[in-house]
Amino acid sequence: MSVSKKPAIIFIFFTLLIDVIGFGIIIPVMPGLISELTGGGMSEASMYGGWMLFAFSLMQFLFSPFLGNLSDQYGRRPILLFSLLGFGLDYILLAFAPTIAWLFVGRIIAGITGASLTTASAYIADISTPETRGQNFGMIGAAFGLGFIIGPVLGGILGEFGPRIPFFAAAGLTLLNWLYGYFVLPESLSQENRRKFEWKRANPMGSLKSLKNYPGILGLVVSLFFLHMASHSVQSTWSYFTMGELNWTSAQVGYSLGFVGLLVASVQAGLVRVANNKLGVVPSIYLGLLFYAIGLSIFTFADAGWIMYVGLIPYCLSGIGGPSMQGLISGKVPPNAQGELQGALTSTISMAAIIGPPLMTNLYSNFSSPSATVHFPGAAFVMGLVFALTSLLIAWLNLKNR
């Protein structure tokens, strides 16, 4: 079997780019569509939105290892094409959804079929040499950065024509990508490198159990968990808070998320490396977590759009903390256990994605509702601040004697 590597890498890049654009397109308009289907305001819509993210994340947590193991037996190509087709059909379902229940069905389907990142990463590993592996995996980060700049801005603009229009656009992009892959994408996993599917290896909790083998990193992994919990105070509530409290349109939400994408891309492109080289890894972790706390503090009491943009600067600069912490954790584990470690970190982040959204959106809903005893829409940001400071404290306790 011969794989033409350059076209394959280009296809994988565009697969991930279109995936992220498709995901980003619907973010600015999802609150409006939920409100349309429920007849409620932003506080009620946020509650539904949080549980949808919970359903999506839970299905992805359960099924990503399953589909990843299937790809080890049957090859990457069929699983990748299955994921793309599933996403495309899901967007069509969401575009025509007549009730809120159908939105939940769509998010569950997307979570089940959403193994494109896992399978694409395995595909890159299959066709990369030791010399090109880092460069090729770097394309994943580039695709995410570019996609999260284009997607929300495009979604916000299209959303001005109706909350369902961006779903049709996302469906069209994804299905065109599936069609291209069906005719162009070769298989990357040779027959001799395949293995039988094993249920025990498809267990999503198995990777978390492996952390007990490395007690020296357990505290840092817990710190990383709280850091990702803090992130959901913004990621899960941004659209609802800005539309409900600041009267932003879907286009304004899209522009703000495009600004986030630019800042995050700038941080990931070079600032992490500069901070690590100039300050050291541990100070970079502390500084990143401190920036998180500053950004969340600004969001908490923001009553104007420009204040939210000011808060985005320290919030996005906090991006030097997470990668620095993950790099430090990785350095404490032997080379032959890196795959196991990355699986455990992915499971840890997935657990935060399951717990965080419903917690944060329900906080916003309960404290922004017209019937709330105490009206405090920034409550979710306060909870995020508590989680960020908890992460900082745990990191300090584990690193102070380093």
Side-chain angles (χ1 to χ4, degrees):
M1 180 194 62
S2 175
V3 176
S4 182
K5 295 182 179 180
K6 188 173 181 180
I9 285 290
I10 292 172
F11 173 80
I12 293 299
F13 173 79
F14 279 104
T15 292
L16 294 174
L17 176 63
I18 291 173
D19 261 11
V20 179
I21 290 175
F23 184 78
I25 277 178
I26 70 174
I27 293 175
V29 295
M30 185 62 88
L33 182 57
I34 294 173
S35 292
E36 177 186 298
L37 294 175
T38 61
M42 279 299 132
S43 61
E44 183 180 351
S46 69
M47 185 173 61
Y48 283 107
W51 286 113
M52 282 181 199
L53 285 172
F54 166 83
F56 174 84
S57 299
L58 179 61
M59 291 300 103
Q60 198 160 55
F61 176 71
L62 294 174
F63 281 89
S64 283
F66 174 76
L67 291 175
N69 275 268
L70 279 180
S71 78
D72 284 339
Q73 177 172 349
Y74 297 106
R76 316 300 184 202
R77 185 178 187 275
I79 304 303
L80 193 55
L81 292 176
F82 168 75
S83 294
L84 288 173
L85 183 61
F87 264 131
L89 296 177
D90 170 61
Y91 288 134
I92 292 174
L93 174 64
L94 293 176
F96 287 107
T99 65
I100 193 71
W102 280 104
L103 286 187
F104 274 96
V105 171
R107 292 291 79 194
I108 289 171
I109 292 172
I112 292 172
T113 62
S116 53
L117 174 58
T118 303
T119 313
S121 299
Y123 194 108
I124 289 175
D126 292 338
I127 65 175
S128 298
T129 65
E131 293 76 22
T132 63
R133 185 168 288 117
Q135 173 187 337
N136 289 343
F137 272 104
M139 294 183 70
I140 294 179
F144 267 80
L146 185 59
F148 207 76
I149 294 170
I150 297 171
V153 173
L154 182 59
I157 294 171
L158 292 174
E160 294 295 290
F161 299 96
R164 296 176 186 265
I165 300 299
F167 292 93
F168 288 110
L173 283 172
T174 306
L175 291 176
L176 281 174
N177 198 31
W178 170 81
L179 192 64
Y180 174 75
Y182 182 83
F183 288 106
V184 174
L185 185 69
E187 179 54 65
S188 65
L189 187 64
S190 61
Q191 291 291 338
E192 59 268 23
N193 288 330
R194 300 188 186 191
R195 64 170 179 84
K196 291 281 188 182
F197 177 86
E198 297 178 55
W199 281 104
K200 66 179 180 180
R201 298 180 73 165
N203 175 12
M205 297 303 295
S207 58
L208 285 174
K209 292 178 182 177
S210 69
L211 289 173
K212 67 183 180 183
N213 299 324
Y214 311 103
I217 66 169
L218 193 56
L220 292 176
V221 173
V222 173
S223 176
L224 189 67
F225 170 78
F226 279 106
L227 174 60
H228 281 274
M229 285 290 291
S231 73
H232 285 288
S233 66
V234 178
Q235 294 174 16
S236 301
T237 66
W238 183 266
S239 298
Y240 303 99
F241 180 90
T242 53
M243 295 177 87
E245 308 308 315
L246 305 178
N247 296 315
W248 281 11
T249 64
S250 60
Q252 288 174 300
V253 173
Y255 298 148
S256 70
L257 293 175
F259 181 65
V260 170
L262 283 171
L263 289 176
V264 169
S266 301
V267 171
Q268 297 298 323
L271 192 57
V272 174
R273 176 176 52 81
V274 172
N276 283 189
N277 290 339
K278 297 291 186 182
L279 303 176
V281 175
V282 174
S284 295
I285 293 172
Y286 294 155
L287 184 61
L289 292 172
L290 184 60
F291 274 137
Y292 238 112
I294 293 171
L296 289 167
S297 298
I298 294 172
F299 294 150
T300 298
F301 299 104
D303 58 2
W306 68 268
I307 300 177
M308 298 299 283
Y309 274 92
V310 170
L312 282 174
I313 296 173
Y315 178 78
C316 292
L317 286 174
S318 70
I320 65 175
S324 300
M325 191 183 299
Q326 285 186 262
L328 187 61
I329 292 170
S330 179
K332 293 176 177 288
V333 173
N336 63 357
Q338 287 296 323
E340 184 176 51
L341 170 65
Q342 295 307 317
L345 293 181
T346 299
S347 294
T348 301
I349 294 169
S350 296
M351 290 297 292
I354 292 169
I355 300 170
L359 171 63
M360 298 304 181
T361 54
N362 273 275
L363 276 172
Y364 170 70
S365 178
N366 289 332
F367 282 92
S368 64
S369 169
S371 60
T373 305
V374 177
H375 186 75
F376 185 45
F381 300 135
V382 173
M383 181 59 75
L385 177 61
V386 170
F387 284 143
L389 293 176
T390 301
S391 177
L392 177 59
L393 176 62
I394 294 172
W396 178 76
L397 291 172
N398 281 270
L399 297 172
K400 64 179 179 177
N401 295 323
R402 183 175 181 273

Coordinates of all heavy atoms in Angstrom, one line a residue, residues 236-316:
S236 N -18.9 28.3 27.8 CA -20.3 27.8 27.8 C -21.3 28.9 27.9 O -22.5 28.7 27.6 CB -20.5 26.8 28.9 OG -19.6 25.7 28.8
T237 N -20.9 30.1 28.4 CA -21.9 31.2 28.7 C -21.7 32.4 27.8 O -22.5 33.3 27.8 CB -21.8 31.6 30.1 OG1 -20.5 32.2 30.4 CG2 -22.0 30.4 31.1
W238 N -20.6 32.5 27.0 CA -20.2 33.7 26.4 C -21.4 34.2 25.5 O -21.8 35.4 25.6 CB -19.0 33.5 25.5 CG -18.5 34.8 24.8 CD1 -18.8 35.2 23.5 CD2 -17.7 35.8 25.4 NE1 -18.2 36.4 23.3 CE2 -17.5 36.8 24.4 CE3 -17.1 36.0 26.6 CZ2 -16.7 37.9 24.6 CZ3 -16.3 37.1 26.8 CH2 -16.2 38.1 25.8
S239 N -21.9 33.4 24.6 CA -23.0 33.8 23.7 C -24.2 34.3 24.5 O -24.8 35.3 24.1 CB -23.3 32.7 22.7 OG -22.2 32.4 21.9
Y240 N -24.6 33.5 25.5 CA -25.8 33.8 26.2 C -25.6 35.1 27.1 O -26.6 35.9 27.1 CB -26.1 32.6 27.2 CG -26.3 31.3 26.4 CD1 -25.3 30.4 26.3 CD2 -27.5 31.1 25.7 CE1 -25.4 29.2 25.6 CE2 -27.6 29.9 25.0 CZ -26.6 29.0 25.0 OH -26.7 27.8 24.3
F241 N -24.5 35.2 27.7 CA -24.2 36.4 28.5 C -24.2 37.7 27.7 O -24.9 38.7 28.0 CB -22.9 36.3 29.3 CG -22.6 37.4 30.2 CD1 -23.0 37.4 31.5 CD2 -21.8 38.5 29.7 CE1 -22.7 38.5 32.3 CE2 -21.5 39.6 30.5 CZ -22.0 39.6 31.8
T242 N -23.5 37.7 26.6 CA -23.3 38.9 25.8 C -24.6 39.2 25.1 O -25.0 40.4 24.9 CB -22.2 38.7 24.8 OG1 -22.4 37.5 24.0 CG2 -20.9 38.7 25.4
M243 N -25.4 38.2 24.6 CA -26.7 38.5 24.0 C -27.8 38.9 25.0 O -28.6 39.8 24.7 CB -27.1 37.3 23.2 CG -26.2 37.0 22.0 SD -26.7 35.5 21.1 CE -27.8 36.2 19.9
G244 N -27.7 38.2 26.2 CA -28.8 38.5 27.2 C -28.5 39.7 28.0 O -29.5 40.5 28.3
E245 N -27.3 40.0 28.3 CA -27.0 41.2 29.2 C -26.5 42.4 28.5 O -26.7 43.5 28.9 CB -25.9 40.7 30.2 CG -26.2 39.5 31.0 CD -27.6 39.4 31.6 OE1 -28.0 40.5 32.2 OE2 -28.3 38.4 31.5
L246 N -25.9 42.2 27.3 CA -25.3 43.4 26.6 C -26.1 43.6 25.3 O -25.7 44.5 24.5 CB -23.8 43.1 26.3 CG -23.0 42.8 27.5 CD1 -21.5 42.6 27.1 CD2 -23.0 44.0 28.5
N247 N -27.1 42.8 25.0 CA -27.9 42.9 23.8 C -27.1 42.8 22.5 O -27.4 43.5 21.5 CB -28.7 44.3 23.8 CG -29.7 44.3 25.0 OD1 -30.4 43.4 25.2 ND2 -29.7 45.4 25.7
W248 N -26.1 42.0 22.5 CA -25.3 41.8 21.3 C -26.1 41.0 20.2 O -27.0 40.2 20.6 CB -24.0 41.0 21.6 CG -22.9 41.8 22.2 CD1 -23.0 43.1 22.6 CD2 -21.6 41.4 22.4 NE1 -21.8 43.5 23.1 CE2 -20.9 42.5 23.0 CE3 -20.8 40.3 22.1 CZ2 -19.5 42.5 23.3 CZ3 -19.5 40.2 22.4 CH2 -18.9 41.3 23.0
T249 N -25.8 41.2 19.0 CA -26.4 40.4 17.9 C -25.5 39.2 17.7 O -24.4 39.1 18.2 CB -26.5 41.2 16.6 OG1 -25.2 41.5 16.2 CG2 -27.3 42.5 16.8
S250 N -26.0 38.2 16.9 CA -25.2 37.1 16.5 C -23.9 37.5 15.8 O -22.9 36.9 16.0 CB -26.0 36.1 15.7 OG -26.4 36.7 14.5
A251 N -24.0 38.6 15.0 CA -22.8 39.0 14.3 C -21.8 39.6 15.3 O -20.6 39.3 15.2 CB -23.2 40.1 13.3
Q252 N -22.2 40.3 16.3 CA -21.3 40.8 17.3 C -20.6 39.7 18.1 O -19.4 39.8 18.5 CB -22.0 41.8 18.3 CG -22.4 43.1 17.6 CD -23.2 44.0 18.5 OE1 -24.3 43.6 18.9 NE2 -22.7 45.2 18.9
V253 N -21.4 38.7 18.4 CA -20.8 37.5 19.1 C -19.8 36.8 18.2 O -18.7 36.5 18.7 CB -21.9 36.5 19.5 CG1 -21.3 35.2 20.0 CG2 -22.9 37.0 20.5
G254 N -20.1 36.7 16.9 CA -19.1 36.1 16.0 C -17.8 36.9 15.9 O -16.7 36.3 15.9
Y255 N -17.9 38.2 15.8 CA -16.7 39.1 15.8 C -15.9 38.9 17.0 O -14.7 38.9 16.9 CB -17.1 40.5 15.6 CG -17.9 40.8 14.3 CD1 -18.8 41.9 14.3 CD2 -17.7 40.1 13.1 CE1 -19.6 42.1 13.1 CE2 -18.4 40.4 12.0 CZ -19.3 41.4 12.0 OH -20.0 41.7 10.8
S256 N -16.5 38.9 18.2 CA -15.8 38.7 19.4 C -15.1 37.4 19.5 O -13.9 37.3 19.9 CB -16.7 38.9 20.6 OG -17.6 37.8 20.8
L257 N -15.7 36.3 19.0 CA -15.1 35.0 19.0 C -13.9 35.0 18.0 O -12.9 34.2 18.2 CB -16.1 33.9 18.8 CG -17.1 33.8 19.9 CD1 -18.2 32.7 19.6 CD2 -16.4 33.4 21.2
G258 N -14.1 35.7 16.9 CA -13.0 35.8 15.9 C -11.8 36.5 16.5 O -10.6 36.1 16.3
F259 N -12.1 37.5 17.3 CA -11.0 38.2 18.1 C -10.3 37.2 19.1 O -9.1 37.2 19.2 CB -11.6 39.4 18.8 CG -10.6 40.2 19.6 CD1 -9.6 40.9 19.0 CD2 -10.7 40.3 21.0 CE1 -8.7 41.7 19.7 CE2 -9.8 41.0 21.7 CZ -8.8 41.7 21.1
V260 N -11.1 36.4 19.7 CA -10.5 35.4 20.6 C -9.6 34.4 19.8 O -8.5 34.1 20.2 CB -11.6 34.5 21.3 CG1 -11.1 33.3 22.0 CG2 -12.4 35.4 22.3
G261 N -10.1 34.0 18.6 CA -9.3 33.1 17.8 C -7.9 33.8 17.4 O -6.9 33.1 17.4
L262 N -8.0 35.1 17.1 CA -6.7 35.7 16.7 C -5.8 35.8 17.9 O -4.6 35.5 17.8 CB -7.0 37.2 16.3 CG -7.5 37.3 14.8 CD1 -8.0 38.8 14.6 CD2 -6.5 36.9 13.8
L263 N -6.3 36.1 19.1 CA -5.5 36.2 20.3 C -4.9 34.8 20.7 O -3.7 34.7 21.0 CB -6.3 36.8 21.5 CG -6.6 38.2 21.4 CD1 -7.5 38.6 22.6 CD2 -5.4 39.1 21.4
V264 N -5.7 33.8 20.6 CA -5.3 32.5 21.0 C -4.2 32.0 20.0 O -3.2 31.4 20.4 CB -6.5 31.5 21.0 CG1 -6.0 30.0 21.1 CG2 -7.4 31.8 22.2
A265 N -4.4 32.2 18.7 CA -3.5 31.8 17.7 C -2.1 32.5 17.9 O -1.1 31.9 17.8 CB -4.0 32.2 16.3
S266 N -2.1 33.8 18.3 CA -0.9 34.5 18.6 C -0.2 34.0 19.8 O 1.0 33.8 19.8 CB -1.2 36.0 18.8 OG -1.9 36.6 17.7
V267 N -0.9 33.6 20.8 CA -0.3 33.0 22.0 C 0.3 31.7 21.7 O 1.4 31.4 22.1 CB -1.4 32.9 23.2 CG1 -0.8 32.1 24.3 CG2 -1.8 34.3 23.6
Q268 N -0.5 30.8 21.0 CA 0.0 29.5 20.7 C 1.2 29.5 19.7 O 2.0 28.6 19.7 CB -1.1 28.6 20.2 CG -2.3 28.4 21.1 CD -1.8 27.7 22.4 OE1 -1.0 26.8 22.4 NE2 -2.4 28.1 23.5
A269 N 1.2 30.5 18.8 CA 2.2 30.5 17.7 C 3.6 30.8 18.3 O 4.6 30.5 17.6 CB 1.8 31.6 16.7
G270 N 3.7 31.5 19.4 CA 5.0 31.9 19.8 C 5.2 32.3 21.2 O 6.2 32.2 21.8
L271 N 4.1 32.8 21.8 CA 4.2 33.4 23.2 C 4.5 32.4 24.2 O 5.2 32.6 25.2 CB 2.9 34.2 23.5 CG 3.0 35.1 24.8 CD1 4.1 36.1 24.6 CD2 1.7 35.8 25.0
V272 N 4.0 31.2 24.1 CA 4.2 30.1 25.0 C 5.7 29.8 25.0 O 6.4 29.7 26.1 CB 3.4 28.8 24.7 CG1 3.9 27.7 25.6 CG2 1.9 29.1 24.8
R273 N 6.3 29.7 23.8 CA 7.8 29.4 23.8 C 8.6 30.5 24.3 O 9.5 30.2 25.1 CB 8.1 29.1 22.3 CG 9.6 28.9 22.0 CD 9.9 28.6 20.6 NE 9.3 29.5 19.7 CZ 9.9 30.7 19.4 NH1 11.0 31.1 20.0 NH2 9.3 31.6 18.6
V274 N 8.2 31.7 24.0 CA 9.0 32.9 24.6 C 8.9 32.9 26.1 O 9.9 33.2 26.8 CB 8.4 34.2 23.9 CG1 9.0 35.4 24.6 CG2 8.7 34.3 22.4
A275 N 7.7 32.7 26.6 CA 7.5 32.8 28.1 C 8.3 31.7 28.8 O 8.9 31.9 29.8 CB 6.0 32.6 28.4
N276 N 8.3 30.5 28.2 CA 9.0 29.4 28.8 C 10.5 29.6 28.7 O 11.2 29.3 29.7 CB 8.7 28.1 28.0 CG 7.4 27.5 28.4 OD1 7.0 26.3 28.0 ND2 6.5 28.2 29.1
N277 N 11.0 30.2 27.6 CA 12.4 30.5 27.5 C 12.9 31.6 28.4 O 14.0 31.6 29.0 CB 12.8 30.8 26.0 CG 12.7 29.6 25.2 OD1 12.7 28.4 25.6 ND2 12.6 29.8 23.9
K278 N 12.1 32.7 28.5 CA 12.5 33.9 29.2 C 12.2 33.8 30.7 O 13.0 34.2 31.6 CB 11.7 35.1 28.7 CG 12.1 35.4 27.2 CD 13.5 36.0 27.1 CE 13.7 36.4 25.6 NZ 15.1 36.9 25.4
L279 N 11.1 33.2 31.1 CA 10.6 33.1 32.5 C 10.9 31.8 33.1 O 11.1 31.7 34.4 CB 9.1 33.5 32.6 CG 8.7 34.8 32.0 CD1 7.1 34.9 32.1 CD2 9.3 35.9 32.7
G280 N 10.8 30.7 32.3 CA 10.9 29.4 32.9 C 9.5 28.8 32.8 O 8.5 29.5 32.8
V281 N 9.4 27.4 32.9 CA 8.1 26.8 32.8 C 7.2 27.0 34.0 O 6.0 27.4 33.8 CB 8.4 25.2 32.6 CG1 7.0 24.5 32.6 CG2 9.1 24.9 31.3
V282 N 7.8 26.9 35.2 CA 6.9 27.1 36.4 C 6.4 28.5 36.5 O 5.2 28.7 36.7 CB 7.7 26.6 37.6 CG1 6.9 27.0 38.9 CG2 8.0 25.1 37.6
P283 N 7.2 29.5 36.3 CA 6.7 30.9 36.4 C 5.6 31.1 35.3 O 4.7 31.9 35.5 CB 7.9 31.8 36.2 CG 9.0 31.0 36.7 CD 8.7 29.6 36.3
S284 N 5.8 30.5 34.1 CA 4.8 30.6 33.0 C 3.5 30.0 33.4 O 2.4 30.6 33.1 CB 5.3 29.9 31.8 OG 6.5 30.5 31.2
I285 N 3.5 28.9 34.2 CA 2.3 28.3 34.7 C 1.6 29.3 35.7 O 0.4 29.6 35.5 CB 2.5 27.0 35.4 CG1 3.0 26.0 34.4 CG2 1.3 26.5 36.1 CD1 3.5 24.7 35.0
Y286 N 2.3 29.8 36.6 CA 1.8 30.8 37.6 C 1.2 32.0 36.9 O 0.1 32.5 37.2 CB 2.8 31.2 38.6 CG 3.3 30.1 39.5 CD1 4.6 30.2 40.1 CD2 2.6 29.0 39.8 CE1 5.1 29.2 40.9 CE2 3.0 28.0 40.6 CZ 4.3 28.1 41.2 OH 4.8 27.1 42.0
L287 N 1.9 32.6 35.9 CA 1.5 33.8 35.2 C 0.2 33.5 34.4 O -0.7 34.3 34.4 CB 2.6 34.3 34.3 CG 2.4 35.6 33.6 CD1 2.1 36.7 34.6 CD2 3.5 35.9 32.6
G288 N 0.2 32.4 33.7 CA -1.0 32.0 33.0 C -2.2 31.9 33.8 O -3.3 32.5 33.5
L289 N -2.1 31.3 35.0 CA -3.3 31.1 35.9 C -3.7 32.5 36.5 O -4.9 32.7 36.7 CB -2.9 30.1 37.0 CG -2.8 28.7 36.5 CD1 -2.3 27.8 37.6 CD2 -4.1 28.1 35.9
L290 N -2.7 33.3 36.7 CA -3.0 34.7 37.2 C -3.8 35.5 36.2 O -4.7 36.2 36.5 CB -1.7 35.4 37.6 CG -1.9 36.8 38.2 CD1 -2.7 36.7 39.5 CD2 -0.5 37.4 38.5
F291 N -3.3 35.4 34.9 CA -4.0 36.0 33.8 C -5.5 35.5 33.7 O -6.4 36.3 33.5 CB -3.3 35.8 32.5 CG -2.2 36.8 32.2 CD1 -1.0 36.4 31.7 CD2 -2.4 38.1 32.4 CE1 0.0 37.2 31.4 CE2 -1.4 39.1 32.1 CZ -0.2 38.6 31.6
Y292 N -5.7 34.2 33.9 CA -7.0 33.7 33.9 C -7.9 34.4 35.0 O -9.0 34.8 34.7 CB -6.9 32.2 34.3 CG -7.5 31.3 33.3 CD1 -6.7 30.4 32.5 CD2 -8.9 31.2 33.0 CE1 -7.3 29.5 31.6 CE2 -9.4 30.4 32.1 CZ -8.6 29.5 31.4 OH -9.1 28.7 30.4
A293 N -7.3 34.5 36.2 CA -8.1 35.1 37.3 C -8.4 36.6 37.0 O -9.5 37.1 37.2 CB -7.3 35.0 38.6
I294 N -7.5 37.3 36.4 CA -7.7 38.7 36.0 C -8.8 38.8 35.0 O -9.8 39.7 35.1 CB -6.4 39.4 35.5 CG1 -5.4 39.5 36.6 CG2 -6.7 40.8 34.9 CD1 -4.0 39.9 36.2
G295 N -8.7 38.0 33.9 CA -9.8 38.1 32.9 C -11.1 37.8 33.4 O -12.1 38.5 33.1
L296 N -11.3 36.7 34.2 CA -12.6 36.4 34.8 C -13.1 37.4 35.7 O -14.3 37.7 35.8 CB -12.5 35.0 35.5 CG -12.3 33.8 34.6 CD1 -11.8 32.6 35.4 CD2 -13.5 33.5 33.8
S297 N -12.2 38.1 36.4 CA -12.6 39.2 37.3 C -13.2 40.3 36.5 O -14.2 40.9 36.9 CB -11.5 39.7 38.2 OG -10.9 38.7 39.0
I298 N -12.6 40.6 35.4 CA -13.2 41.7 34.5 C -14.5 41.3 34.0 O -15.5 42.1 34.0 CB -12.2 42.0 33.4 CG1 -10.9 42.6 34.0 CG2 -12.8 43.0 32.4 CD1 -9.8 42.8 33.0
F299 N -14.7 40.1 33.5 CA -16.0 39.6 32.9 C -17.1 39.7 34.0 O -18.2 40.0 33.6 CB -15.8 38.2 32.4 CG -14.9 38.0 31.3 CD1 -14.2 36.8 31.1 CD2 -14.7 39.0 30.3 CE1 -13.4 36.6 30.0 CE2 -13.9 38.8 29.3 CZ -13.2 37.6 29.1
T300 N -16.7 39.4 35.2 CA -17.7 39.3 36.3 C -18.6 40.6 36.4 O -19.8 40.5 36.6 CB -17.1 39.0 37.6 OG1 -16.4 37.7 37.6 CG2 -18.1 39.0 38.8
F301 N -18.0 41.7 36.3 CA -18.7 43.0 36.5 C -18.8 43.8 35.3 O -19.2 45.0 35.3 CB -17.9 43.8 37.6 CG -17.9 43.1 38.9 CD1 -16.7 42.5 39.3 CD2 -19.0 42.9 39.8 CE1 -16.6 41.8 40.5 CE2 -18.9 42.3 41.0 CZ -17.7 41.7 41.4
A302 N -18.6 43.2 34.1 CA -18.7 43.9 32.8 C -20.1 44.3 32.6 O -21.0 43.5 32.6 CB -18.1 43.1 31.7
D303 N -20.3 45.6 32.2 CA -21.7 46.0 31.8 C -21.7 46.8 30.5 O -22.6 47.5 30.1 CB -22.3 47.0 32.9 CG -21.4 48.2 33.2 OD1 -20.3 48.3 32.5 OD2 -21.7 49.0 34.1
A304 N -20.6 46.6 29.7 CA -20.5 47.2 28.4 C -19.6 46.3 27.5 O -18.7 45.6 28.0 CB -19.9 48.6 28.5
G305 N -19.8 46.3 26.2 CA -19.1 45.4 25.3 C -17.6 45.6 25.3 O -16.8 44.7 25.3
W306 N -17.2 46.9 25.4 CA -15.8 47.2 25.4 C -15.0 46.6 26.6 O -13.9 46.2 26.5 CB -15.5 48.7 25.2 CG -15.9 49.5 26.5 CD1 -17.0 50.1 26.7 CD2 -15.0 49.8 27.6 NE1 -17.0 50.8 27.9 CE2 -15.7 50.6 28.5 CE3 -13.7 49.4 27.9 CZ2 -15.2 51.0 29.7 CZ3 -13.2 49.9 29.1 CH2 -13.9 50.7 30.0
I307 N -15.7 46.5 27.7 CA -15.1 45.9 28.9 C -14.9 44.4 28.7 O -13.8 43.8 29.1 CB -16.0 46.1 30.1 CG1 -16.2 47.6 30.4 CG2 -15.4 45.4 31.4 CD1 -17.1 47.9 31.6
M308 N -15.8 43.7 28.0 CA -15.6 42.3 27.6 C -14.4 42.1 26.8 O -13.6 41.2 26.9 CB -16.8 41.7 26.9 CG -18.1 41.8 27.8 SD -18.0 40.8 29.3 CE -18.2 39.1 28.6
Y309 N -14.2 43.0 25.8 CA -13.0 43.0 24.9 C -11.7 43.2 25.7 O -10.7 42.5 25.5 CB -13.1 44.0 23.8 CG -13.8 43.5 22.6 CD1 -15.2 43.7 22.4 CD2 -13.2 42.8 21.6 CE1 -15.9 43.2 21.3 CE2 -13.8 42.3 20.5 CZ -15.2 42.5 20.3 OH -15.9 42.0 19.2
V310 N -11.7 44.1 26.7 CA -10.6 44.3 27.6 C -10.3 43.1 28.4 O -9.1 42.6 28.5 CB -10.8 45.5 28.5 CG1 -9.7 45.6 29.6 CG2 -10.9 46.8 27.8
G311 N -11.3 42.4 28.9 CA -11.1 41.2 29.6 C -10.6 40.0 28.8 O -9.9 39.1 29.3
L312 N -10.9 40.0 27.5 CA -10.4 39.0 26.6 C -8.9 39.0 26.5 O -8.3 37.9 26.3 CB -11.0 39.1 25.2 CG -12.4 38.6 25.1 CD1 -13.0 38.9 23.7 CD2 -12.6 37.1 25.3
I313 N -8.2 40.1 26.7 CA -6.8 40.2 26.5 C -6.1 39.4 27.6 O -5.3 38.4 27.3 CB -6.3 41.6 26.5 CG1 -6.9 42.3 25.2 CG2 -4.8 41.7 26.5 CD1 -6.6 43.8 25.2
P314 N -6.3 39.6 28.9 CA -5.6 38.7 29.9 C -6.2 37.3 29.9 O -5.4 36.4 30.1 CB -5.9 39.4 31.2 CG -7.1 40.3 31.0 CD -7.0 40.7 29.6
Y315 N -7.5 37.2 29.5 CA -8.0 35.8 29.5 C -7.3 35.0 28.4 O -7.0 33.8 28.7 CB -9.5 35.9 29.2 CG -10.2 34.5 29.1 CD1 -10.5 33.8 30.2 CD2 -10.5 34.0 27.8 CE1 -11.1 32.5 30.1 CE2 -11.1 32.7 27.7 CZ -11.4 32.0 28.8 OH -11.9 30.8 28.7
C316 N -7.1 35.5 27.3 CA -6.4 34.8 26.2 C -4.9 34.6 26.5 O -4.3 33.6 26.1 CB -6.6 35.4 24.8 SG -8.4 35.3 24.3

